[in-house]
Amino acid sequence: EDKVVQSPLSLVVHEGDTVTLNCSYEVTNFRSLLWYKQEKKAPTFLFMLTSSGIEKKSGRLSSILDKKELFSILNITATQTGDSAVYLCAVGIIQGAQKLVFGQGTRLTINP
Amino acid sequence: DTEVTQTPKHLVMGMTNKKSLKCEQHMGHRAMYWYKQKAKKPPELMFVYSYEKLSINESVPSRFSPECPNSSLLNLHLHALQPEDSALYLCASSQDGIRASGGPRGNEQFFGPGTRLTVL
């Protein structure tokens, strides 16, 4: 069974801290790993990773994939209260068509 | 236009009603998806359309009926729903579905804002 596991499930930090969110996976027909941020409504796309060892960066957010050890991390530096959200990791697989298998999400709360 | 739109934003319906959810994208994407999301849970895939053909049905009850009239539009027809079907229904699209050749390595899915459905 295809599985994506995120940790921690919940994290509370102070503004300015750096956080690392983890995502491990066991799937067949891996195609990509994606990170999304979800506040009140729909998930918004952050990163897509397909190759090991290549860091993707966008402002204070960065992510990297290790296809040998089957995990990815999402780093957020100098956190702000606006970073409070649920962060979803999803793995793209092929099963007839392309689909995403989601982890449970990490609920991140940034306190001022 | 880099947006997926969904209507309505909110829907309240009785168990005997028939209603439809609509989704539209104008990014030229050829794969479209319906997800159901309950509170504090990740999105759960329901259907995938690839090149306007139904490619994946995740054993969804027949009271949910998807339709893809053209490459930009995706509907979800609802009939005789149960209160436990109340959820946020998300539509998503991605650049390409899977081709016979194996397709691209991966395509990010872009989500619409969702329809908050309440079944009374």
Side-chain angles (χ1 to χ4, degrees), chain A residues 6 21 34-47 60-61 74 76 80-90 102 106 108 110, chain B residues 37 43 111:
Chain A
Q6 292 185 244
L21 309 183
L34 298 93
W35 285 97
Y36 288 88
K37 176 183 181 182
Q38 186 170 27
E39 295 171 270
K40 288 196 175 14
K41 284 266 182 153
T44 53
F45 172 77
L46 296 175
F47 298 112
R60 297 175 293 102
L61 277 67
L74 175 68
I76 308 175
Q80 302 170 358
T81 53
D83 295 327
S84 295
V86 173
Y87 289 83
L88 293 163
C89 173
F102 280 90
T106 293
L108 176 64
I110 312 294
Chain B
Q37 188 174 27
F111 285 83

PDB file of all heavy atoms in Angstrom, chain A residues 6 21 34-47 60-61 74 76 80-90 102 106 108 110, chain B residues 37 43 111:
ATOM      1  N   GLN A   6       4.123  12.130   7.535  1.00  0.00           N
ATOM      2  CA  GLN A   6       4.738  13.410   7.886  1.00  0.00           C
ATOM      3  C   GLN A   6       4.974  13.491   9.392  1.00  0.00           C
ATOM      4  O   GLN A   6       4.210  12.943  10.182  1.00  0.00           O
ATOM      5  CB  GLN A   6       3.829  14.569   7.463  1.00  0.00           C
ATOM      6  CG  GLN A   6       3.723  14.715   5.973  1.00  0.00           C
ATOM      7  CD  GLN A   6       2.933  15.932   5.569  1.00  0.00           C
ATOM      8  OE1 GLN A   6       1.868  15.819   4.966  1.00  0.00           O
ATOM      9  NE2 GLN A   6       3.450  17.115   5.881  1.00  0.00           N
ATOM     10  N   LEU A  21      10.287  20.437   8.609  1.00  0.00           N
ATOM     11  CA  LEU A  21       9.171  19.498   8.520  1.00  0.00           C
ATOM     12  C   LEU A  21       9.632  18.294   7.708  1.00  0.00           C
ATOM     13  O   LEU A  21      10.348  18.446   6.707  1.00  0.00           O
ATOM     14  CB  LEU A  21       7.953  20.157   7.853  1.00  0.00           C
ATOM     15  CG  LEU A  21       7.518  21.507   8.431  1.00  0.00           C
ATOM     16  CD1 LEU A  21       6.263  21.991   7.721  1.00  0.00           C
ATOM     17  CD2 LEU A  21       7.327  21.453   9.912  1.00  0.00           C
ATOM     18  N   LEU A  34       5.683  16.621  -3.744  1.00  0.00           N
ATOM     19  CA  LEU A  34       5.193  17.995  -3.740  1.00  0.00           C
ATOM     20  C   LEU A  34       4.902  18.448  -2.315  1.00  0.00           C
ATOM     21  O   LEU A  34       4.465  17.662  -1.476  1.00  0.00           O
ATOM     22  CB  LEU A  34       3.912  18.113  -4.574  1.00  0.00           C
ATOM     23  CG  LEU A  34       4.052  17.773  -6.062  1.00  0.00           C
ATOM     24  CD1 LEU A  34       3.735  16.313  -6.336  1.00  0.00           C
ATOM     25  CD2 LEU A  34       3.126  18.645  -6.908  1.00  0.00           C
ATOM     26  N   TRP A  35       5.131  19.730  -2.081  1.00  0.00           N
ATOM     27  CA  TRP A  35       4.761  20.369  -0.818  1.00  0.00           C
ATOM     28  C   TRP A  35       3.697  21.426  -1.099  1.00  0.00           C
ATOM     29  O   TRP A  35       3.824  22.209  -2.044  1.00  0.00           O
ATOM     30  CB  TRP A  35       5.973  21.036  -0.165  1.00  0.00           C
ATOM     31  CG  TRP A  35       6.926  20.074   0.479  1.00  0.00           C
ATOM     32  CD1 TRP A  35       8.075  19.571  -0.061  1.00  0.00           C
ATOM     33  CD2 TRP A  35       6.846  19.527   1.796  1.00  0.00           C
ATOM     34  NE1 TRP A  35       8.706  18.735   0.834  1.00  0.00           N
ATOM     35  CE2 TRP A  35       7.972  18.701   1.983  1.00  0.00           C
ATOM     36  CE3 TRP A  35       5.934  19.659   2.852  1.00  0.00           C
ATOM     37  CZ2 TRP A  35       8.208  17.997   3.172  1.00  0.00           C
ATOM     38  CZ3 TRP A  35       6.165  18.967   4.030  1.00  0.00           C
ATOM     39  CH2 TRP A  35       7.294  18.148   4.191  1.00  0.00           C
ATOM     40  N   TYR A  36       2.682  21.427  -0.240  1.00  0.00           N
ATOM     41  CA  TYR A  36       1.607  22.416  -0.312  1.00  0.00           C
ATOM     42  C   TYR A  36       1.430  23.065   1.057  1.00  0.00           C
ATOM     43  O   TYR A  36       1.680  22.447   2.091  1.00  0.00           O
ATOM     44  CB  TYR A  36       0.270  21.753  -0.688  1.00  0.00           C
ATOM     45  CG  TYR A  36       0.162  21.279  -2.111  1.00  0.00           C
ATOM     46  CD1 TYR A  36       0.591  20.009  -2.488  1.00  0.00           C
ATOM     47  CD2 TYR A  36      -0.393  22.103  -3.094  1.00  0.00           C
ATOM     48  CE1 TYR A  36       0.478  19.575  -3.793  1.00  0.00           C
ATOM     49  CE2 TYR A  36      -0.504  21.671  -4.412  1.00  0.00           C
ATOM     50  CZ  TYR A  36      -0.069  20.406  -4.748  1.00  0.00           C
ATOM     51  OH  TYR A  36      -0.179  19.976  -6.050  1.00  0.00           O
ATOM     52  N   LYS A  37       0.944  24.308   1.034  1.00  0.00           N
ATOM     53  CA  LYS A  37       0.569  25.029   2.257  1.00  0.00           C
ATOM     54  C   LYS A  37      -0.939  25.204   2.225  1.00  0.00           C
ATOM     55  O   LYS A  37      -1.490  25.637   1.211  1.00  0.00           O
ATOM     56  CB  LYS A  37       1.257  26.397   2.271  1.00  0.00           C
ATOM     57  CG  LYS A  37       0.880  27.286   3.456  1.00  0.00           C
ATOM     58  CD  LYS A  37       1.573  28.646   3.325  1.00  0.00           C
ATOM     59  CE  LYS A  37       1.241  29.545   4.502  1.00  0.00           C
ATOM     60  NZ  LYS A  37       1.860  30.892   4.360  1.00  0.00           N
ATOM     61  N   GLN A  38      -1.604  24.841   3.323  1.00  0.00           N
ATOM     62  CA  GLN A  38      -3.058  25.016   3.372  1.00  0.00           C
ATOM     63  C   GLN A  38      -3.434  25.836   4.591  1.00  0.00           C
ATOM     64  O   GLN A  38      -3.186  25.428   5.728  1.00  0.00           O
ATOM     65  CB  GLN A  38      -3.789  23.671   3.374  1.00  0.00           C
ATOM     66  CG  GLN A  38      -5.295  23.824   3.283  1.00  0.00           C
ATOM     67  CD  GLN A  38      -6.031  22.521   3.043  1.00  0.00           C
ATOM     68  OE1 GLN A  38      -5.555  21.448   3.401  1.00  0.00           O
ATOM     69  NE2 GLN A  38      -7.199  22.596   2.414  1.00  0.00           N
ATOM     70  N   GLU A  39      -4.035  26.984   4.326  1.00  0.00           N
ATOM     71  CA  GLU A  39      -4.561  27.814   5.404  1.00  0.00           C
ATOM     72  C   GLU A  39      -6.047  27.493   5.537  1.00  0.00           C
ATOM     73  O   GLU A  39      -6.404  26.356   5.791  1.00  0.00           O
ATOM     74  CB  GLU A  39      -4.231  29.280   5.144  1.00  0.00           C
ATOM     75  CG  GLU A  39      -2.722  29.495   5.192  1.00  0.00           C
ATOM     76  CD  GLU A  39      -2.251  30.855   4.734  1.00  0.00           C
ATOM     77  OE1 GLU A  39      -1.976  31.006   3.522  1.00  0.00           O
ATOM     78  OE2 GLU A  39      -2.139  31.767   5.579  1.00  0.00           O
ATOM     79  N   LYS A  40      -6.904  28.472   5.299  1.00  0.00           N
ATOM     80  CA  LYS A  40      -8.324  28.151   5.534  1.00  0.00           C
ATOM     81  C   LYS A  40      -8.964  27.377   4.378  1.00  0.00           C
ATOM     82  O   LYS A  40      -9.904  26.633   4.564  1.00  0.00           O
ATOM     83  CB  LYS A  40      -9.093  29.428   5.790  1.00  0.00           C
ATOM     84  CG  LYS A  40      -8.800  30.037   7.143  1.00  0.00           C
ATOM     85  CD  LYS A  40      -9.843  31.065   7.530  1.00  0.00           C
ATOM     86  CE  LYS A  40      -9.739  31.655   8.909  1.00  0.00           C
ATOM     87  NZ  LYS A  40      -8.578  31.498   9.685  1.00  0.00           N
ATOM     88  N   LYS A  41      -8.459  27.581   3.203  1.00  0.00           N
ATOM     89  CA  LYS A  41      -9.139  26.990   2.034  1.00  0.00           C
ATOM     90  C   LYS A  41      -8.263  25.980   1.303  1.00  0.00           C
ATOM     91  O   LYS A  41      -7.762  25.041   1.888  1.00  0.00           O
ATOM     92  CB  LYS A  41      -9.574  28.118   1.092  1.00  0.00           C
ATOM     93  CG  LYS A  41     -10.786  28.861   1.590  1.00  0.00           C
ATOM     94  CD  LYS A  41     -12.058  28.298   0.992  1.00  0.00           C
ATOM     95  CE  LYS A  41     -13.300  29.044   1.436  1.00  0.00           C
ATOM     96  NZ  LYS A  41     -14.395  28.973   0.471  1.00  0.00           N
ATOM     97  N   ALA A  42      -8.067  26.202   0.017  1.00  0.00           N
ATOM     98  CA  ALA A  42      -7.418  25.192  -0.811  1.00  0.00           C
ATOM     99  C   ALA A  42      -5.912  25.176  -0.600  1.00  0.00           C
ATOM    100  O   ALA A  42      -5.301  26.193  -0.254  1.00  0.00           O
ATOM    101  CB  ALA A  42      -7.720  25.475  -2.270  1.00  0.00           C
ATOM    102  N   PRO A  43      -5.295  24.005  -0.792  1.00  0.00           N
ATOM    103  CA  PRO A  43      -3.826  23.942  -0.734  1.00  0.00           C
ATOM    104  C   PRO A  43      -3.198  24.803  -1.826  1.00  0.00           C
ATOM    105  O   PRO A  43      -3.673  24.805  -2.966  1.00  0.00           O
ATOM    106  CB  PRO A  43      -3.538  22.456  -0.982  1.00  0.00           C
ATOM    107  CG  PRO A  43      -4.811  21.746  -0.700  1.00  0.00           C
ATOM    108  CD  PRO A  43      -5.902  22.695  -1.050  1.00  0.00           C
ATOM    109  N   THR A  44      -2.150  25.524  -1.457  1.00  0.00           N
ATOM    110  CA  THR A  44      -1.400  26.281  -2.458  1.00  0.00           C
ATOM    111  C   THR A  44      -0.044  25.617  -2.664  1.00  0.00           C
ATOM    112  O   THR A  44       0.610  25.198  -1.705  1.00  0.00           O
ATOM    113  CB  THR A  44      -1.211  27.757  -2.061  1.00  0.00           C
ATOM    114  OG1 THR A  44      -0.633  27.798  -0.753  1.00  0.00           O
ATOM    115  CG2 THR A  44      -2.518  28.494  -2.039  1.00  0.00           C
ATOM    116  N   PHE A  45       0.351  25.525  -3.909  1.00  0.00           N
ATOM    117  CA  PHE A  45       1.562  24.810  -4.289  1.00  0.00           C
ATOM    118  C   PHE A  45       2.797  25.551  -3.822  1.00  0.00           C
ATOM    119  O   PHE A  45       2.911  26.767  -3.965  1.00  0.00           O
ATOM    120  CB  PHE A  45       1.559  24.663  -5.820  1.00  0.00           C
ATOM    121  CG  PHE A  45       2.827  24.114  -6.374  1.00  0.00           C
ATOM    122  CD1 PHE A  45       3.110  22.763  -6.287  1.00  0.00           C
ATOM    123  CD2 PHE A  45       3.740  24.945  -6.991  1.00  0.00           C
ATOM    124  CE1 PHE A  45       4.274  22.251  -6.804  1.00  0.00           C
ATOM    125  CE2 PHE A  45       4.923  24.441  -7.516  1.00  0.00           C
ATOM    126  CZ  PHE A  45       5.185  23.094  -7.423  1.00  0.00           C
ATOM    127  N   LEU A  46       3.750  24.804  -3.245  1.00  0.00           N
ATOM    128  CA  LEU A  46       5.042  25.380  -2.833  1.00  0.00           C
ATOM    129  C   LEU A  46       6.165  24.887  -3.736  1.00  0.00           C
ATOM    130  O   LEU A  46       6.846  25.675  -4.392  1.00  0.00           O
ATOM    131  CB  LEU A  46       5.347  25.024  -1.371  1.00  0.00           C
ATOM    132  CG  LEU A  46       4.411  25.574  -0.302  1.00  0.00           C
ATOM    133  CD1 LEU A  46       4.780  25.024   1.060  1.00  0.00           C
ATOM    134  CD2 LEU A  46       4.440  27.092  -0.292  1.00  0.00           C
ATOM    135  N   PHE A  47       6.398  23.576  -3.718  1.00  0.00           N
ATOM    136  CA  PHE A  47       7.520  22.999  -4.456  1.00  0.00           C
ATOM    137  C   PHE A  47       7.138  21.657  -5.063  1.00  0.00           C
ATOM    138  O   PHE A  47       6.313  20.941  -4.511  1.00  0.00           O
ATOM    139  CB  PHE A  47       8.717  22.701  -3.517  1.00  0.00           C
ATOM    140  CG  PHE A  47       9.316  23.890  -2.846  1.00  0.00           C
ATOM    141  CD1 PHE A  47       9.195  24.050  -1.477  1.00  0.00           C
ATOM    142  CD2 PHE A  47      10.027  24.839  -3.570  1.00  0.00           C
ATOM    143  CE1 PHE A  47       9.754  25.134  -0.836  1.00  0.00           C
ATOM    144  CE2 PHE A  47      10.590  25.933  -2.940  1.00  0.00           C
ATOM    145  CZ  PHE A  47      10.456  26.082  -1.569  1.00  0.00           C
ATOM    146  N   ARG A  60      12.141  32.335   2.136  1.00  0.00           N
ATOM    147  CA  ARG A  60      12.599  31.700   3.372  1.00  0.00           C
ATOM    148  C   ARG A  60      12.318  30.200   3.401  1.00  0.00           C
ATOM    149  O   ARG A  60      12.647  29.520   4.371  1.00  0.00           O
ATOM    150  CB  ARG A  60      11.901  32.373   4.572  1.00  0.00           C
ATOM    151  CG  ARG A  60      12.239  33.854   4.733  1.00  0.00           C
ATOM    152  CD  ARG A  60      11.433  34.518   5.851  1.00  0.00           C
ATOM    153  NE  ARG A  60      10.012  34.591   5.523  1.00  0.00           N
ATOM    154  CZ  ARG A  60       9.083  33.778   5.999  1.00  0.00           C
ATOM    155  NH1 ARG A  60       9.409  32.815   6.856  1.00  0.00           N
ATOM    156  NH2 ARG A  60       7.815  33.913   5.649  1.00  0.00           N
ATOM    157  N   LEU A  61      11.688  29.690   2.357  1.00  0.00           N
ATOM    158  CA  LEU A  61      11.353  28.270   2.304  1.00  0.00           C
ATOM    159  C   LEU A  61      12.330  27.540   1.396  1.00  0.00           C
ATOM    160  O   LEU A  61      12.731  28.071   0.349  1.00  0.00           O
ATOM    161  CB  LEU A  61       9.932  28.075   1.757  1.00  0.00           C
ATOM    162  CG  LEU A  61       8.768  28.209   2.739  1.00  0.00           C
ATOM    163  CD1 LEU A  61       8.618  29.621   3.256  1.00  0.00           C
ATOM    164  CD2 LEU A  61       7.493  27.728   2.099  1.00  0.00           C
ATOM    165  N   LEU A  74      11.176  20.063   4.480  1.00  0.00           N
ATOM    166  CA  LEU A  74      10.811  21.440   4.144  1.00  0.00           C
ATOM    167  C   LEU A  74      11.327  22.305   5.287  1.00  0.00           C
ATOM    168  O   LEU A  74      10.978  22.081   6.440  1.00  0.00           O
ATOM    169  CB  LEU A  74       9.288  21.573   4.020  1.00  0.00           C
ATOM    170  CG  LEU A  74       8.751  22.986   3.784  1.00  0.00           C
ATOM    171  CD1 LEU A  74       9.134  23.497   2.404  1.00  0.00           C
ATOM    172  CD2 LEU A  74       7.225  23.021   3.945  1.00  0.00           C
ATOM    173  N   ILE A  76      11.785  26.146   6.920  1.00  0.00           N
ATOM    174  CA  ILE A  76      11.322  27.535   6.910  1.00  0.00           C
ATOM    175  C   ILE A  76      12.203  28.296   7.902  1.00  0.00           C
ATOM    176  O   ILE A  76      12.255  27.956   9.094  1.00  0.00           O
ATOM    177  CB  ILE A  76       9.846  27.670   7.329  1.00  0.00           C
ATOM    178  CG1 ILE A  76       8.962  26.731   6.523  1.00  0.00           C
ATOM    179  CG2 ILE A  76       9.383  29.117   7.133  1.00  0.00           C
ATOM    180  CD1 ILE A  76       7.489  26.727   6.958  1.00  0.00           C
ATOM    181  N   GLN A  80       7.431  33.589  10.380  1.00  0.00           N
ATOM    182  CA  GLN A  80       6.533  34.716  10.643  1.00  0.00           C
ATOM    183  C   GLN A  80       5.150  34.150  10.955  1.00  0.00           C
ATOM    184  O   GLN A  80       4.839  33.014  10.582  1.00  0.00           O
ATOM    185  CB  GLN A  80       6.464  35.627   9.412  1.00  0.00           C
ATOM    186  CG  GLN A  80       7.805  36.178   8.991  1.00  0.00           C
ATOM    187  CD  GLN A  80       7.773  36.872   7.640  1.00  0.00           C
ATOM    188  OE1 GLN A  80       6.743  36.924   6.963  1.00  0.00           O
ATOM    189  NE2 GLN A  80       8.907  37.408   7.236  1.00  0.00           N
ATOM    190  N   THR A  81       4.306  34.966  11.588  1.00  0.00           N
ATOM    191  CA  THR A  81       2.972  34.461  11.958  1.00  0.00           C
ATOM    192  C   THR A  81       2.185  34.035  10.707  1.00  0.00           C
ATOM    193  O   THR A  81       1.369  33.117  10.765  1.00  0.00           O
ATOM    194  CB  THR A  81       2.171  35.510  12.731  1.00  0.00           C
ATOM    195  OG1 THR A  81       2.133  36.732  11.993  1.00  0.00           O
ATOM    196  CG2 THR A  81       2.810  35.776  14.105  1.00  0.00           C
ATOM    197  N   GLY A  82       2.460  34.651   9.578  1.00  0.00           N
ATOM    198  CA  GLY A  82       1.787  34.269   8.338  1.00  0.00           C
ATOM    199  C   GLY A  82       2.181  32.893   7.817  1.00  0.00           C
ATOM    200  O   GLY A  82       1.548  32.380   6.889  1.00  0.00           O
ATOM    201  N   ASP A  83       3.206  32.301   8.407  1.00  0.00           N
ATOM    202  CA  ASP A  83       3.580  30.935   8.016  1.00  0.00           C
ATOM    203  C   ASP A  83       2.713  29.893   8.709  1.00  0.00           C
ATOM    204  O   ASP A  83       2.783  28.706   8.373  1.00  0.00           O
ATOM    205  CB  ASP A  83       5.056  30.663   8.376  1.00  0.00           C
ATOM    206  CG  ASP A  83       6.033  31.534   7.603  1.00  0.00           C
ATOM    207  OD1 ASP A  83       5.747  31.866   6.423  1.00  0.00           O
ATOM    208  OD2 ASP A  83       7.076  31.914   8.185  1.00  0.00           O
ATOM    209  N   SER A  84       1.909  30.321   9.666  1.00  0.00           N
ATOM    210  CA  SER A  84       1.016  29.384  10.363  1.00  0.00           C
ATOM    211  C   SER A  84       0.053  28.773   9.350  1.00  0.00           C
ATOM    212  O   SER A  84      -0.654  29.483   8.626  1.00  0.00           O
ATOM    213  CB  SER A  84       0.219  30.109  11.454  1.00  0.00           C
ATOM    214  OG  SER A  84       1.069  30.584  12.469  1.00  0.00           O
ATOM    215  N   ALA A  85       0.026  27.451   9.290  1.00  0.00           N
ATOM    216  CA  ALA A  85      -0.779  26.736   8.292  1.00  0.00           C
ATOM    217  C   ALA A  85      -0.570  25.244   8.492  1.00  0.00           C
ATOM    218  O   ALA A  85       0.239  24.816   9.320  1.00  0.00           O
ATOM    219  CB  ALA A  85      -0.353  27.116   6.876  1.00  0.00           C
ATOM    220  N   VAL A  86      -1.302  24.472   7.714  1.00  0.00           N
ATOM    221  CA  VAL A  86      -1.016  23.039   7.610  1.00  0.00           C
ATOM    222  C   VAL A  86      -0.158  22.850   6.358  1.00  0.00           C
ATOM    223  O   VAL A  86      -0.494  23.354   5.288  1.00  0.00           O
ATOM    224  CB  VAL A  86      -2.308  22.209   7.492  1.00  0.00           C
ATOM    225  CG1 VAL A  86      -1.976  20.749   7.223  1.00  0.00           C
ATOM    226  CG2 VAL A  86      -3.143  22.334   8.765  1.00  0.00           C
ATOM    227  N   TYR A  87       0.951  22.151   6.516  1.00  0.00           N
ATOM    228  CA  TYR A  87       1.840  21.868   5.392  1.00  0.00           C
ATOM    229  C   TYR A  87       1.646  20.403   4.987  1.00  0.00           C
ATOM    230  O   TYR A  87       1.810  19.496   5.796  1.00  0.00           O
ATOM    231  CB  TYR A  87       3.291  22.171   5.770  1.00  0.00           C
ATOM    232  CG  TYR A  87       3.515  23.659   5.888  1.00  0.00           C
ATOM    233  CD1 TYR A  87       3.190  24.333   7.072  1.00  0.00           C
ATOM    234  CD2 TYR A  87       3.976  24.404   4.811  1.00  0.00           C
ATOM    235  CE1 TYR A  87       3.333  25.710   7.177  1.00  0.00           C
ATOM    236  CE2 TYR A  87       4.129  25.784   4.909  1.00  0.00           C
ATOM    237  CZ  TYR A  87       3.799  26.417   6.098  1.00  0.00           C
ATOM    238  OH  TYR A  87       3.945  27.786   6.183  1.00  0.00           O
ATOM    239  N   LEU A  88       1.271  20.241   3.729  1.00  0.00           N
ATOM    240  CA  LEU A  88       0.964  18.916   3.209  1.00  0.00           C
ATOM    241  C   LEU A  88       2.083  18.451   2.291  1.00  0.00           C
ATOM    242  O   LEU A  88       2.521  19.196   1.411  1.00  0.00           O
ATOM    243  CB  LEU A  88      -0.348  18.935   2.419  1.00  0.00           C
ATOM    244  CG  LEU A  88      -1.622  19.195   3.222  1.00  0.00           C
ATOM    245  CD1 LEU A  88      -2.760  19.592   2.282  1.00  0.00           C
ATOM    246  CD2 LEU A  88      -2.013  17.978   4.031  1.00  0.00           C
ATOM    247  N   CYS A  89       2.503  17.212   2.487  1.00  0.00           N
ATOM    248  CA  CYS A  89       3.445  16.554   1.580  1.00  0.00           C
ATOM    249  C   CYS A  89       2.637  15.567   0.746  1.00  0.00           C
ATOM    250  O   CYS A  89       1.754  14.866   1.271  1.00  0.00           O
ATOM    251  CB  CYS A  89       4.503  15.829   2.406  1.00  0.00           C
ATOM    252  SG  CYS A  89       5.617  14.801   1.456  1.00  0.00           S
ATOM    253  N   ALA A  90       2.884  15.518  -0.534  1.00  0.00           N
ATOM    254  CA  ALA A  90       2.173  14.582  -1.403  1.00  0.00           C
ATOM    255  C   ALA A  90       3.171  13.969  -2.380  1.00  0.00           C
ATOM    256  O   ALA A  90       4.072  14.651  -2.870  1.00  0.00           O
ATOM    257  CB  ALA A  90       1.066  15.295  -2.175  1.00  0.00           C
ATOM    258  N   PHE A 102      -1.322  11.802  -0.355  1.00  0.00           N
ATOM    259  CA  PHE A 102      -1.031  12.837   0.642  1.00  0.00           C
ATOM    260  C   PHE A 102      -0.627  12.231   1.982  1.00  0.00           C
ATOM    261  O   PHE A 102      -1.131  11.180   2.404  1.00  0.00           O
ATOM    262  CB  PHE A 102      -2.270  13.713   0.875  1.00  0.00           C
ATOM    263  CG  PHE A 102      -2.474  14.758  -0.177  1.00  0.00           C
ATOM    264  CD1 PHE A 102      -3.224  14.478  -1.305  1.00  0.00           C
ATOM    265  CD2 PHE A 102      -1.930  16.031  -0.042  1.00  0.00           C
ATOM    266  CE1 PHE A 102      -3.420  15.447  -2.290  1.00  0.00           C
ATOM    267  CE2 PHE A 102      -2.120  17.001  -1.010  1.00  0.00           C
ATOM    268  CZ  PHE A 102      -2.864  16.693  -2.137  1.00  0.00           C
ATOM    269  N   THR A 106       1.339  18.556   8.551  1.00  0.00           N
ATOM    270  CA  THR A 106       1.915  19.093   9.784  1.00  0.00           C
ATOM    271  C   THR A 106       1.253  20.434  10.047  1.00  0.00           C
ATOM    272  O   THR A 106       1.311  21.322   9.202  1.00  0.00           O
ATOM    273  CB  THR A 106       3.434  19.286   9.664  1.00  0.00           C
ATOM    274  OG1 THR A 106       4.073  18.024   9.546  1.00  0.00           O
ATOM    275  CG2 THR A 106       3.985  20.030  10.883  1.00  0.00           C
ATOM    276  N   LEU A 108       1.454  23.776  11.657  1.00  0.00           N
ATOM    277  CA  LEU A 108       2.487  24.665  12.177  1.00  0.00           C
ATOM    278  C   LEU A 108       1.842  25.934  12.719  1.00  0.00           C
ATOM    279  O   LEU A 108       1.074  26.592  12.015  1.00  0.00           O
ATOM    280  CB  LEU A 108       3.489  25.012  11.068  1.00  0.00           C
ATOM    281  CG  LEU A 108       4.593  25.998  11.408  1.00  0.00           C
ATOM    282  CD1 LEU A 108       5.507  25.433  12.490  1.00  0.00           C
ATOM    283  CD2 LEU A 108       5.406  26.355  10.167  1.00  0.00           C
ATOM    284  N   ILE A 110       2.853  29.576  14.511  1.00  0.00           N
ATOM    285  CA  ILE A 110       3.926  30.513  14.837  1.00  0.00           C
ATOM    286  C   ILE A 110       3.354  31.552  15.808  1.00  0.00           C
ATOM    287  O   ILE A 110       2.431  32.297  15.444  1.00  0.00           O
ATOM    288  CB  ILE A 110       4.468  31.232  13.585  1.00  0.00           C
ATOM    289  CG1 ILE A 110       4.764  30.230  12.466  1.00  0.00           C
ATOM    290  CG2 ILE A 110       5.693  32.076  13.932  1.00  0.00           C
ATOM    291  CD1 ILE A 110       5.867  29.260  12.739  1.00  0.00           C
TER     292      ILE A 110
ATOM    293  N   GLN B  37     -12.350  16.688   1.128  1.00  0.00           N
ATOM    294  CA  GLN B  37     -11.526  16.934   2.308  1.00  0.00           C
ATOM    295  C   GLN B  37     -12.403  17.166   3.522  1.00  0.00           C
ATOM    296  O   GLN B  37     -13.183  18.127   3.551  1.00  0.00           O
ATOM    297  CB  GLN B  37     -10.580  18.122   2.096  1.00  0.00           C
ATOM    298  CG  GLN B  37      -9.576  18.277   3.236  1.00  0.00           C
ATOM    299  CD  GLN B  37      -8.544  19.361   2.987  1.00  0.00           C
ATOM    300  OE1 GLN B  37      -8.793  20.310   2.271  1.00  0.00           O
ATOM    301  NE2 GLN B  37      -7.373  19.228   3.597  1.00  0.00           N
ATOM    302  N   PRO B  43      -6.578  16.045   1.719  1.00  0.00           N
ATOM    303  CA  PRO B  43      -7.516  15.771   0.612  1.00  0.00           C
ATOM    304  C   PRO B  43      -7.498  14.289   0.241  1.00  0.00           C
ATOM    305  O   PRO B  43      -6.448  13.641   0.259  1.00  0.00           O
ATOM    306  CB  PRO B  43      -6.974  16.626  -0.531  1.00  0.00           C
ATOM    307  CG  PRO B  43      -6.151  17.678   0.123  1.00  0.00           C
ATOM    308  CD  PRO B  43      -5.576  17.038   1.348  1.00  0.00           C
ATOM    309  N   PHE B 111      -4.891  23.732  -7.177  1.00  0.00           N
ATOM    310  CA  PHE B 111      -6.207  23.531  -6.587  1.00  0.00           C
ATOM    311  C   PHE B 111      -7.086  24.767  -6.729  1.00  0.00           C
ATOM    312  O   PHE B 111      -6.608  25.907  -6.649  1.00  0.00           O
ATOM    313  CB  PHE B 111      -6.080  23.193  -5.093  1.00  0.00           C
ATOM    314  CG  PHE B 111      -5.614  21.795  -4.847  1.00  0.00           C
ATOM    315  CD1 PHE B 111      -4.261  21.481  -4.876  1.00  0.00           C
ATOM    316  CD2 PHE B 111      -6.522  20.777  -4.602  1.00  0.00           C
ATOM    317  CE1 PHE B 111      -3.820  20.186  -4.659  1.00  0.00           C
ATOM    318  CE2 PHE B 111      -6.086  19.474  -4.373  1.00  0.00           C
ATOM    319  CZ  PHE B 111      -4.738  19.180  -4.405  1.00  0.00           C
TER     320      PHE B 111
END
